[in-house]
Every structure is written in structure tokens, then in C-alpha cells.
Amino acid sequence: MSFQRKRFRIEELTLGAAPMLAPIEFEAGPTNRDLMAELRAIRAQIVNGVHPAPASGESGTNKEIDASLAAEAAETKALLASYKAQVEQCEKLKIELDLIHNAIDQTKREIAVLHSKSFSGEEMAKVNGELGAVVGGTEEATQQILEAAEAIDQAATALGKVNSADQQQALSEEIQERVISIFEACNFQDLTGQRISKVMNTMKFIEHHIVQMMEIWGGVDEIKAHAPPVVDTRDDDAKLLNGPRALGDDGHASQDDIDAMFN
């Protein structure tokens, strides 16, 4: 583009009618609008993932941009992998927490059933009442049997000393009455069996739900692994007082062993 240079008045006065200076030629460059349009186009290509073709002398700059974008992509990929691993761990943790929540909820239900059906005041009072009745009935029947046996012994002794038929008849009738009294006293066994059956049913009910709670938390073997060791704190003769021997129990002396000590 060519521009006509203006000649100032001072030049006309000093130079007179000198020939006018030749016009100065300026090379037309890109306008500001063109530069901004080009920059916006390059930015749009970078955002869309399309890199502009490098111009001469600009290959180093584009390589730096590519390297920077590649580094950012690698960092983003590593970050996404880390987030994915954390999400997987959170999912596993949630599953474990759900299992624990369900186990606690089931245990609460088992405890509620035990409390309402076995450990409530009314039910435990009934169990204690049955056991008390067993003890009282056994004691009463034993006392009645002993008294009848003593009366029979006395009547039998007197029977051998009297000669009167009437006295002998009276003593015989007394002996028969005492025998009947013994038979009646022996009925305590049936009542005792019924009462103990009620207590055993309650114990089995409790045992069943305790086993259910153990199964909820991994089974009996898993619970035993956390059980503290049993320590016998009894001293001296107290360790020998284990009560009557049950069938199949070990650690008890037989009657033959006891008899051998007195021979």
C-alpha cells in the first residue's frame, strides 16, 4: 500500500521549489482483527483436540505443546485409575458394613426373642418356681417315705412280740397303710419329671437362639477362637467337689476303686 507524504510549509520556505520527495512505500501487514481471528481459530483447534500444522520456525513450540498435553493426559489417566481403585475399595467396604449391619440386626432380633420368651421376669419366675417345686416335692416325698419305712420297721418289730390276733391284725393293717403311703410318695417322680421337662424346654429354647446368634457371627468354631481360657480358681478340696458323676464323664472314681481302698 502506498502513502503520499505531506510536505510541510517549513520545507517549502527553506527548500523553495525543490522537487517533492518520493512517496514512502509501507508494506501492508495483518490487521489486529486478522490476528485475533487466527488466535481464536488455533485455540478452538487445541480445545477440540486438533493441533494446527506447525509453521516454519514454530516446530519447537508445537512440540512443547504436544508434550505438555501428553503429560496432562497421562496424569489425568493415572488420577482416574486412582479414583477407580478408591471407588472399588469403598464398594467393598460398603458390602462389609452391610453384612455387619445385617448381623447386628439379626442378633438384636434373637436377643429380643430371648428377652420376651425366656428372660422376662414372668418366664424366669416360672422356671425358678418349677425348680423350687421339684426341690420341695422331692424333699417332702423323701420325708414321707422315711417316716413310712420307720413305722413299718416298728410295726414289724412289735408284730413278732404280740400274741393277740387283734393286735397282730392291727399291726398288719398299719404296715399296709404305710406301704400305700410309700407308693403315694413315689408319685413325686412323675410330677418332678413334668416340671423338669418345662425347665428343659426353656433351656433348649435359649440354647437354640444362642446357637443362632453364633451362626450369625461365623459359627461355633469362630466364637470359640475368641473365648478366653477357662481357669479353675478353686482351692484344695473345692476342686474335688464336682457333684454326682454323669454317664460318660471322665475323671471320676468307680465304685470298685472306692471299695478297693477299704480292702
Side-chain angles (χ1 to χ4, degrees):
M1 180 181 298
S2 178
F3 296 93
Q4 181 68 35
R5 183 176 180 275
K6 179 180 179 181
R7 188 171 184 177
F8 297 94
R9 188 169 60 86
I10 189 63
E11 291 177 333
E12 293 177 351
L13 293 175
T14 57
L15 297 177
M20 185 177 295
L21 295 176
I24 300 174
E25 298 290 334
F26 295 95
E27 182 180 357
T31 63
N32 183 48
R33 181 179 299 176
D34 296 334
L35 291 174
M36 293 302 298
E38 184 177 356
L39 289 175
R40 281 195 292 270
I42 293 173
R43 181 177 179 276
Q45 290 177 351
I46 293 175
V47 171
N48 295 329
V50 179
H51 303 295
S56 60
E58 296 181 351
S59 59
T61 302
N62 286 336
K63 287 182 179 179
E64 291 177 358
I65 294 175
D66 292 340
S68 177
L69 291 175
E72 291 180 359
E75 184 179 356
T76 304
K77 185 177 180 181
L79 188 61
L80 290 175
S82 176
Y83 286 163
K84 183 178 180 182
Q86 292 178 10
V87 170
E88 291 177 354
Q89 292 296 328
C90 290
E91 290 177 351
K92 292 180 180 179
L93 179 61
K94 183 180 183 302
I95 293 174
E96 295 294 333
L97 291 176
D98 289 341
L99 292 175
I100 294 174
H101 177 270
N102 292 334
I104 293 175
D105 189 56
Q106 293 178 18
T107 305
K108 286 181 179 179
R109 288 197 296 268
E110 295 293 338
I111 293 174
V113 172
L114 285 175
H115 178 73
S116 61
K117 298 292 183 67
S118 299
F119 293 118
S120 63
E122 181 180 355
E123 191 67 25
M124 291 307 296
K126 185 184 297 183
V127 171
N128 292 331
E130 294 292 344
L131 292 176
V134 168
V135 174
T138 303
E139 182 180 0
E140 182 180 353
T142 302
Q143 184 67 26
Q144 185 177 346
I145 290 172
L146 290 176
E147 290 177 356
E150 184 179 1
I152 289 173
D153 180 65
Q154 293 175 356
T157 302
L159 185 61
K161 295 180 179 180
V162 297
N163 296 323
S164 172
D166 293 337
Q167 291 179 346
Q168 292 178 353
Q169 181 67 26
L171 291 174
S172 297
E173 291 178 356
E174 183 179 356
I175 291 174
Q176 290 177 352
E177 290 178 359
R178 295 295 183 175
V179 170
I180 293 173
S181 176
I182 291 174
F183 288 151
E184 291 176 350
C186 288
N187 289 331
F188 82 95
Q189 182 180 4
D190 181 56
L191 298 176
T192 299
Q194 294 179 22
R195 291 190 173 102
I196 291 179
S197 295
K198 294 180 181 179
V199 176
M200 290 299 298
N201 289 335
T202 302
M203 295 297 105
K204 288 179 179 178
F205 178 82
I206 295 173
E207 180 184 11
H208 171 73
H209 286 278
I210 290 177
V211 170
Q212 288 291 106
M213 285 188 281
M214 290 182 178
E215 291 296 332
I216 291 171
W217 292 102
V220 178
D221 294 336
E222 184 69 21
I223 299 299
K224 287 182 179 179
H226 300 280
V230 179
V231 179
D232 192 355
T233 58
R234 296 178 299 176
D235 298 328
D236 301 331
D237 293 340
K239 293 184 177 181
L240 304 176
L241 302 176
N242 296 317
R245 175 178 179 272
L247 294 177
D249 284 351
D250 297 328
H252 293 270
S254 64
Q255 186 62 43
D256 294 336
D257 296 334
I258 297 174
D259 294 339
M261 297 176 63
F262 295 96
N263 292 336

